Amino acid sequence: IPLPPDVSAEEARILLAVKLLETGRVTLGQAAEIAGYSKRAFMEIAPKWGAVLISYSPEELRAELSR
């Protein structure tokens, strides 16, 4: 797919991986692979692209905070 001139292939891979991760279509490891990074490196860069890597339900968050 031709990309706009201001979007690099790396940026497109990262954005695709982040969106697939957000929607639950892939695991963190799979998203890292799609983006072309190790899992650890992807965990470091993904939040810069808007990814939320840890999400708690309200009940889970209450339980964690009450410990």
Side-chain angles (χ1 to χ4, degrees):
I1 299 172
L3 296 172
D6 60 331
V7 177
S8 69
E10 179 182 14
E11 182 180 4
R13 284 192 311 272
I14 293 168
L15 290 170
L16 173 63
V18 165
K19 187 49 111 175
L20 290 171
L21 180 62
E22 280 179 357
T23 59
R25 304 285 304 269
V26 298
T27 65
L28 179 62
Q30 291 168 326
E33 188 175 336
I34 290 166
Y37 287 87
S38 68
K39 191 174 178 180
R40 182 179 179 156
F42 186 73
M43 288 175 70
E44 291 179 18
I45 66 157
K48 296 173 187 170
W49 294 91
V52 177
L53 300 180
I54 300 173
S55 62
Y56 288 99
S57 71
E59 296 79 25
E60 291 171 323
L61 184 56
R62 277 197 268 316
E64 283 295 318
L65 293 175
S66 68
R67 290 182 189 192

